[in-house]
Amino acid sequence: MTHKAETMDPQGPPHVHHMDATTAYGAAKLGMWLFLATEILLFGGLFCAFALFRWTYLEEFHQASKHLNVWMGATNTVVLLISSYFAALAVDAAQHGNNKKIVTYLSITMLCAVGFLVIKYFEYSSKYHHGLSPLNVEFNSPEFNAAYKCFFGLYYCMTALHGLHVIFGMAILGWVISKARKNRFSERYYTPVEVGALYWHLVDLIWIYLFPLLYLVG
Amino acid sequence: MSHHEHNETDSHDNSHGNGLGHIIPKSVYALVLGALIILTVITVAIAQVDFGNWNIIVAMLVSSVKATIVALFFMHLKYEDPFTWIYAVIPIFLLIVLIAGVFIDNPFRY
Amino acid sequence: MSTAASTAPEVKKNYLNDHTGIWSWIYTLDHKRIGIMYLVSLFTFFFIAGLIALTMRYELMHAGASGLLTPKQYNVAFTLHGAMMVFLFIVPGIPATLGNFLLPLMIGAKDVAFPRMNLLSYYIYIVGAIMALVALLNPIDTGWTFYTPYSIQTGQGVVLMTAAAFVLGFSSILTGLNFIVTIHKLRAPGMHWMRLPLFVWATYATAGIQVLATPVVGINLLLLIMERTMGIGIFDPKLGGDPVLFQHLFWFYSHPVVYIMILPAFGIIGEIIPVFSRKPIFGYKAVVIASFSLALLGFFVWAHHMFVSGISDFSAATFSIITFGVAIPTAVKVFNWVSTMYRGSIRLDTPMLYAISFIFIFMVAGTTGIYLATLGVDVFYHDTYFVVAHFHYTMQGGAVIGLIAGLHFWFPKMSGKMYNEHIAKIGFVLVFIGFNLTFIPQFVLGMHGMPRRYFDYPPEFESLHFVSTIGAFMNGLGYAMAIFNLALTGLFGKVKAPRNPYDSLSLEWQTDSPPIHDNFETTPIITEWTYGYGTPVRDGTHH
């Protein structure tokens, strides 16, 4: 039921037959915040499992955590923080009706996301070379310390699920960039930019907790 | 069904847009990024200090400060309406309940 | 969208006939059509899962093997019955069907906030349902609760079934999200918060739970799949894991989910009783507060499903005490409904019969819940027929009867036709007697120690099982009658429904039966409270 009112205002809000533009903007934002709430609870279950097993196997978790590269983790943290900064700038650009800047800033965000995934790839392959990944035979043998396996299992679940969300975020931002390149947005309508950026910030937020939990405190 | 109702945001500020979102000065974003990077350095540094059982609490507290400023400023939560605040905060509350429920169980078993 | 009937033969356009053909349904964005599609899908699974239940009851009718099912097949049967009823019928339940249909109408909106997301929710549900049905090709016998460690070791179907449940969870989350935003943003002018119908409040509280609780079971199921495929060792005790953690994460959702099931039913009762008592609801604010209290408290009690799983005494006692508290909001509501009826002008149409029976049934349901909340008692009743009877009283006697009551009440609005009261009443009698006949013996069986999920039993339990089976068949017949009466009338009925056959003040009754596509010819402006029956409210002097 959405008709692009191209003839009237090509950069304005799309015509939605059951709500006016201001309501639609508020609805989209509230909807995204609700969705972010579900994501927090989704990852929260993993944090709960991690909390329990860290308490159960404190010493092993400390030791296992030492296998993680703190500098790679910290770099990834900074990379994501920067990506969030540029996402916020993109929304600001949108609020001022500057489609070019939206493209520039979100492209930097995307670049950071790629950087994050590249570092992640190096981390994962390093684990593989040390026989610490689920693809290794040693990892799956009964001799592998069960508590270590628990740590790494949770490490992979949490970081992989997070990585998947990075990819989802990139898809969303990629779509927003493609719209911005067609000058779709203006001060009157930039809902996808704001809502996409909100999703991206969540990806950053989760990593803000994951990094110290997995890499530092172990 | 409102045309120009009082949106969550528009009050005192002259950075209005069209009654859409609140506009935050870019300098604030830069300051927040700076604070976040400093806090990241603190995160790593403070992990070198052994607080014993408090290690995880300290680490999570620092993370929470970072998360808070990302939410308040990057995500504009500071200028959102009360309902958005409720939905932003309640998941954290529920997670605390979940973890508490597990931790009155396992540590107290025989 | 509507054309005025200028000449007699012209059929007025409504949401059912304004676009025709199967594709107009498949691609519809109309919340009313989506509600109908959910209705058809849900009841298909209801009947399949119900037939499975009758098969189980047939097996249990006499002691010893009947020859119909092997013990393993019996285990598959109760797993299927439970999983289908919970995930494919009751959880989407009232919100997906009546909620979808009524919510925009009740608040004076043209549709929900995100109509395309609404259609997506439906298709996600269908995908999840198909995945669940395919999973049946590798029958699972874990029970619908998939407890570890058995669910880590057994059968091939577990991964697909849990993946199906994960997908279905998304449908639930998106529906809840949609409804919350709708209620916040799309209320018509004058529809202040404190003028909302109780069904809308109930839907809101339910939607909150859908959004907040479902992700936790989602991650739990993902972890189970990881455990099965990667062998991480978080649930498997052989690998140093904790099988009870699965239960914590499972019930953290699955207790609030029962409030997803029942809160909308409470909302429906809150709509029916004032209309058929011609009195305003007693204690409107109290009912609203009770709904949200229940939704919130429901998050704090999950481990009462785990009293004998090996949790610590300290946590068992804590959860037991908090669980007692959960009875209070419901008791408040029962008091309010009964007080509404007191000195009212009662009309015993079918919806009211179901609503009154609901009050009785839910009192049994709630009080037997208190038995189970009592730690010392639960040690004996856990995993017996007492629990089975309790949750059938809440889920079937509560949620399903609430749904049936609502379907009868809003049937004229949804279909534009009136059903046959006599057949409906006979259906009600069969359902009510059949239901109680099925489950009261089960309370007694439980008290005597009959375990649940058992294929067979000692001969001294036979007479009660026999009676229960008779009741089950009567119950099934009653549902078949009630639902086919509505379905066939909807398709082929001739008696046209007026706009407002029951003289309700609620907004959905102030528009056509069936409504036009955009629900209202012009956006309504609300000046009074929904429940002003027989009070000065009707003059606009109140609220």
Side-chain angles (χ1 to χ4, degrees):
Chain A
M1 282 292 157
T2 306
H3 314 290
K4 290 242 166 62
E6 277 132 355
T7 49
M8 312 240 290
D9 183 2
Q11 287 185 312
H15 172 70
V16 178
H17 95 290
H18 62 296
M19 329 188 244
D20 64 48
T22 319
T23 311
Y25 171 75
K29 269 205 301 189
L30 180 61
M32 180 50 83
W33 275 102
L34 283 165
F35 187 70
L36 296 184
T38 69
E39 296 277 42
I40 293 174
L41 284 155
L42 185 80
F43 278 91
L46 287 172
F47 278 94
C48 178
F50 188 87
L52 176 65
F53 287 107
R54 181 180 177 275
W55 171 82
T56 312
Y57 300 119
L58 190 59
E59 197 41 53
E60 289 94 330
F61 266 46
H62 275 334
Q63 293 306 317
S65 157
K66 296 206 169 109
H67 288 271
L68 299 181
N69 187 322
V70 171
W71 296 111
M72 282 181 145
T75 308
N76 261 349
T77 307
V78 173
V79 164
L80 280 185
L81 291 174
I82 293 174
S83 75
S84 258
Y85 169 71
F86 280 103
L89 283 184
V91 175
D92 181 85
Q95 288 173 315
H96 291 102
N98 192 329
N99 280 283
K100 276 223 172 72
K101 279 195 177 155
I102 297 175
V103 174
T104 309
Y105 292 144
L106 286 184
S107 300
I108 299 176
T109 303
M110 292 276 270
L111 214 62
C112 291
V114 170
F116 179 91
L117 290 174
V118 165
I119 296 177
K120 202 91 225 101
Y121 169 77
F122 283 126
E123 285 190 273
Y124 279 0
S125 41
S126 148
K127 297 278 157 316
Y128 178 74
H129 282 124
H130 289 103
L132 293 171
S133 90
L135 298 171
N136 296 107
V137 174
E138 315 93 297
F139 188 81
N140 294 304
S141 78
E143 281 89 49
F144 198 94
N145 182 308
Y148 264 57
K149 198 169 182 200
C150 184
F151 175 87
F152 281 108
L154 284 170
Y155 164 77
Y156 288 115
C157 280
M158 292 164 96
T159 54
L161 190 62
H162 176 261
L164 198 61
H165 282 77
V166 170
I167 296 173
F168 291 150
M170 287 171 70
I172 293 171
L173 293 181
W175 178 79
V176 173
I177 290 175
S178 75
K179 290 278 178 215
R181 289 181 65 191
K182 297 180 198 156
N183 285 322
R184 180 65 185 86
F185 304 115
S186 67
E187 311 90 335
R188 300 177 296 293
Y189 172 67
Y190 56 88
T191 311
V193 184
E194 177 145 18
V195 151
L198 279 177
Y199 187 83
W200 186 258
H201 292 306
L202 177 84
V203 166
D204 183 23
L205 280 177
I206 293 168
W207 185 260
I208 283 175
Y209 283 97
L210 279 186
F211 166 59
L213 198 63
L214 295 170
Y215 291 74
L216 299 176
V217 176
Chain B
M1 283 299 170
S2 47
H3 320 288
H4 183 77
E5 88 239 345
H6 252 234
N7 257 161
E8 44 265 24
T9 62
D10 49 340
S11 18
H12 19 258
D13 204 47
N14 46 10
S15 45
H16 228 238
N18 267 321
L20 292 179
H22 186 276
I23 298 185
I24 296 179
K26 286 201 270 287
S27 53
V28 174
Y29 293 139
L31 277 170
V32 170
L33 179 64
L36 286 168
I37 296 190
I38 293 173
L39 283 164
T40 307
V41 172
I42 292 178
T43 308
V44 177
I46 213 167
Q48 314 309 319
V49 183
D50 185 18
F51 293 99
N53 285 333
W54 289 89
N55 276 334
I56 192 164
I57 310 259
V58 169
M60 292 295 105
L61 273 171
V62 177
S63 290
S64 298
V65 173
K66 291 163 80 176
T68 306
I69 55 177
V70 168
L72 284 176
F73 297 103
F74 284 174
M75 297 172 83
H76 299 216
L77 187 58
K78 186 163 191 274
Y79 304 97
E80 291 291 350
D81 59 286
F83 291 113
T84 305
W85 273 90
I86 292 174
Y87 288 113
V89 169
I90 208 169
I92 302 162
F93 169 68
L94 287 175
L95 280 178
I96 293 173
V97 171
L98 171 63
I99 295 177
V102 170
F103 274 82
I104 61 173
D105 174 19
N106 290 58
F108 290 91
R109 293 183 194 165
Y110 299 122
Chain C
M1 267 280 169
S2 64
T3 53
S6 48
T7 54
E10 176 92 24
V11 175
K12 183 155 187 196
K13 289 272 184 229
N14 57 61
Y15 82 99
L16 286 169
N17 60 24
D18 58 359
H19 297 108
T20 52
I22 185 99
W23 294 105
S24 74
W25 281 84
I26 291 177
Y27 286 126
T28 186
L29 294 178
D30 184 344
H31 65 99
K32 300 181 288 300
R33 287 193 171 198
I34 293 175
I36 302 283
M37 293 201 292
Y38 266 115
L39 199 58
V40 172
S41 311
L42 258 61
F43 273 97
T44 306
F45 295 119
F46 176 66
F47 276 114
I48 298 175
L51 282 172
I52 296 176
L54 290 178
T55 314
M56 286 160 59
R57 278 305 336 150
Y58 175 80
E59 176 61 49
L60 293 166
M61 196 157 98
H62 295 291
S66 71
L68 182 64
L69 295 173
T70 66
K72 175 102 188 224
Q73 286 172 335
Y74 181 83
N75 292 358
V76 172
F78 68 67
T79 304
L80 276 187
H81 169 77
M84 286 180 79
M85 280 297 192
V86 170
F87 293 119
L88 298 183
F89 179 63
I90 297 202
V91 171
I94 295 170
T97 54
L98 290 173
N100 252 318
F101 192 94
L102 293 168
L103 182 60
L105 281 164
M106 283 183 162
I107 62 174
K110 290 183 182 166
D111 209 315
V112 291
F114 307 118
R116 286 173 298 183
M117 189 190 290
N118 204 9
L119 186 66
L120 181 67
S121 280
Y122 175 69
Y123 283 120
I124 293 176
Y125 165 81
I126 292 294
V127 167
I130 292 174
M131 286 169 72
L133 293 173
V134 170
L136 305 181
L137 298 176
N138 283 302
I140 26 175
D141 56 351
T142 58
W144 79 276
T145 48
F146 302 115
Y147 273 15
T148 54
Y150 187 56
S151 58
I152 303 174
Q153 306 150 1
T154 185
Q156 301 304 310
V158 174
V159 174
L160 190 54
M161 192 71 207
T162 46
F166 184 84
V167 170
L168 290 164
F170 258 110
S171 175
S172 187
I173 287 173
L174 292 179
T175 300
L177 191 158
N178 216 340
F179 285 176
I180 292 176
V181 179
T182 304
I183 296 172
H184 271 282
K185 300 289 181 185
L186 296 186
R187 285 167 289 130
M191 182 53 87
H192 304 317
W193 288 100
M194 280 309 170
R195 287 182 179 165
L196 286 172
L198 289 172
F199 181 70
V200 175
W201 280 114
T203 302
Y204 190 117
T206 305
I209 306 175
Q210 284 174 278
V211 164
L212 296 170
T214 315
V216 177
V217 81
I219 196 67
N220 195 30
L221 296 174
L222 272 183
L223 279 173
L224 179 62
I225 296 175
M226 292 290 106
E227 182 80 322
R228 278 183 72 107
T229 51
M230 241 168 70
I232 315 169
I234 54 168
F235 298 139
D236 193 341
K238 289 202 303 276
L239 298 174
D242 184 5
V244 177
L245 178 65
F246 179 87
Q247 295 183 30
H248 274 294
L249 292 172
F250 182 83
W251 289 111
F252 188 81
Y253 162 75
S254 300
H255 188 79
V257 88
V258 313
Y259 298 113
I260 292 177
M261 298 171 192
I262 202 62
L263 276 169
F266 287 163
I268 292 177
I269 304 306
E271 294 301 327
I272 292 177
I273 291 193
V275 172
F276 290 91
S277 309
R278 313 307 305 163
K279 264 188 76 196
I281 184 79
F282 182 91
Y284 171 85
K285 274 209 178 104
V287 175
V288 172
I289 294 172
S291 304
F292 283 92
S293 309
L294 192 59
L296 187 63
L297 274 173
F299 276 98
F300 304 153
V301 298
W302 75 91
H304 66 227
H305 298 267
M306 297 161 60
F307 283 155
V308 296
S309 295
I311 61 175
S312 71
D313 290 344
F314 174 48
S315 80
T318 307
F319 280 102
S320 172
I321 295 173
I322 304 176
T323 306
F324 287 118
V326 134
I328 298 171
T330 308
V332 164
K333 289 195 182 160
V334 170
F335 179 74
N336 284 333
W337 296 324
V338 172
S339 304
T340 304
M341 288 169 59
Y342 179 65
R343 290 193 168 207
S345 178
I346 313 280
R347 272 175 60 174
L348 288 175
D349 294 277
T350 308
M352 188 57 162
L353 289 175
Y354 278 109
I356 296 175
S357 72
F358 177 98
I359 300 178
F360 163 73
I361 289 173
F362 211 81
M363 285 199 17
V364 174
T367 44
T368 53
I370 297 293
Y371 281 58
L372 293 168
T374 311
L375 194 48
V377 174
D378 185 73
V379 169
F380 292 97
Y381 285 166
H382 179 78
D383 267 348
T384 67
Y385 264 66
F386 194 93
V387 178
V388 175
H390 163 74
F391 68 66
H392 280 94
Y393 261 80
T394 52
M395 296 209 262
Q396 203 205 113
V400 180
I401 285 196
L403 174 58
I404 306 288
L407 285 174
H408 281 86
F409 180 46
W410 282 293
F411 181 82
K413 181 58 54 185
M414 294 165 77
S415 68
K417 300 173 185 169
M418 301 296 281
Y419 56 82
N420 183 312
E421 260 303 309
H422 298 297
I423 300 179
K425 285 194 164 111
I426 296 172
F428 162 74
V429 169
L430 286 173
V431 164
F432 184 75
I433 296 180
F435 171 78
N436 284 294
L437 204 59
T438 311
F439 293 108
I440 290 179
Q442 294 194 10
F443 279 123
V444 182
L445 279 169
M447 289 196 283
H448 286 114
M450 166 81 203
R452 63 184 287 198
R453 296 176 168 167
Y454 267 44
F455 164 79
D456 194 10
Y457 51 80
E460 55 261 33
F461 290 143
E462 180 164 325
S463 46
L464 286 168
H465 269 290
F466 183 81
V467 172
S468 180
T469 300
I470 302 294
F473 277 89
M474 194 187 297
N475 198 11
L477 184 61
Y479 279 124
M481 243 185 122
I483 291 163
F484 277 104
N485 183 24
L486 294 182
L488 293 172
T489 311
L491 288 168
F492 308 117
K494 295 280 184 282
V495 181
K496 274 184 129 41
R499 268 197 172 192
N500 197 352
Y502 304 120
D503 257 318
S504 167
L505 292 175
S506 184
L507 206 52
E508 76 274 18
W509 294 104
Q510 314 312 321
T511 188
D512 290 339
S513 302
I516 57 173
H517 182 276
D518 277 352
N519 297 335
F520 300 93
E521 306 250 358
T522 55
T523 306
I525 298 178
I526 290 80
T527 54
E528 59 191 28
W529 185 44
T530 309
Y531 298 101
Y533 301 101
T535 70
V537 170
R538 303 197 75 159
D539 304 328
T541 56
H542 191 29
H543 275 266

